[in-house]
Amino acid sequence: MNKELRKAVIAGNWKMNKTPDETKALIEAIKPLVAKADCDVVVCVPYIDLFAALEATKGSNIKVGAENCHWAEKGAFTGEVSAEMLKAIGVPYVIIGHSERRTYFGDTDETVAKRTRAAIDAGLTVILCVGEYLEQRQLGITMEVVRTQVKIALKDIKKEELDNIIIAYEPVWAIGTGLTATAEQANEVNKAIRELICELYGQDAADKMVVQYGGSMNAGNAAELLAQPDVDGGLIGGASLKAPDFAAIVEAASK
Ligand code: PGA
């Protein structure tokens, strides 16, 4: 409806892949292919690869993100990294609430809300992930699940802070499985998320909110998904590890 008010964001989620040397090589391969992109391009990489990614993307249109952050500024949290630390090294983006964090590492709607608050306080842009499990879709409760996730994650976020929030709808059954939501399914949930933002913050906020789709998005299906009125970009796992595939998705988003 108001897609012209939003700039698409294509973000790679590399998950637990690539060493620093491999990071440099993949970014060097991606760089020339996306140099003319008419959308925002982000690569979210493991903590250990952040310095290499920041270095390799210098002077390019590719921005760097982390894949998680802790909610405390500092303290006794062995093995964790704070939003403040990411900010301190110049990382602008962070993924929060990815389903793999929720499923394997105990992230809950409450901790997702705390991490989101901390990231916004640190001045980062958050890619907030939400999405239903297959059983929840089969039970017909997708909208309730996703609305609850978004509502709790944003409960401490003020309207003026929404400019630094991107929401990624990622049906868990579509992540890494090769099963993609149909363009209609993706748009239906993205639209519902936008309607919720309207309820919570007003129409202007809803019109500006970037809502991505993620889950087996690839070079072949990206154009159809990205053509949907409420799909404003993608969060890409597997296909973001192959430079030509990632670049093809960026190109589809630039149209
Ligand atoms: P996928 O992962 O593209 O490999 O399905 C998406 C994600 O987990 O963000």
Side-chain angles (χ1 to χ4, degrees), residues 68-137:
N68 186 30
C69 69
H70 198 265
W71 55 82
E73 218 172 288
K74 59 183 170 182
F77 299 102
T78 303
E80 293 296 307
V81 170
S82 73
E84 293 290 336
M85 291 168 175
L86 296 175
K87 184 67 184 177
I89 65 163
V91 171
Y93 285 81
V94 62
I95 298 174
I96 306 256
H98 191 277
S99 67
E100 285 150 19
R101 300 297 319 171
R102 295 178 191 253
T103 303
Y104 307 132
F105 302 102
D107 229 351
T108 64
D109 289 336
E110 280 303 324
T111 59
V112 167
K114 286 163 73 173
R115 291 180 209 277
T116 301
R117 183 65 256 163
I120 294 296
D121 284 340
L124 304 179
T125 295
V126 171
I127 300 176
L128 168 66
C129 299
V130 296
E132 81 286 4
Y133 288 100
L134 182 59
E135 310 80 77
Q136 294 170 323
R137 176 161 284 268

Side-chain angles (χ1 to χ4, degrees), residues 3 46 50-51 56 64 96 142 149-150 153 157-158 160 172 176 180 200 209 212 217 221 243 248:
K3 218 168 174 177
L50 286 169
F51 275 114
V64 175
I96 306 256
T142 296
Q149 289 174 333
V150 173
I157 301 298
K158 297 185 206 70
E160 59 271 23
V172 183
T180 316
L200 297 173
M209 175 59 66
Q212 298 174 316
M217 193 188 270
N221 61 26

Side-chain angles (χ1 to χ4, degrees), residues 13 15 98 100 170 174-177 214-217 235-239:
N13 172 14
K15 310 193 179 189
H98 191 277
E100 285 150 19
E170 297 205 306
I175 295 178
T177 56
S216 299
M217 193 188 270
L235 183 57
I236 328 295

Side-chain angles (χ1 to χ4, degrees), residues 170-188:
E170 297 205 306
V172 183
W173 48 271
I175 295 178
T177 56
L179 286 176
T180 316
T182 63
E184 292 71 32
Q185 284 172 327
N187 196 67
E188 187 186 23

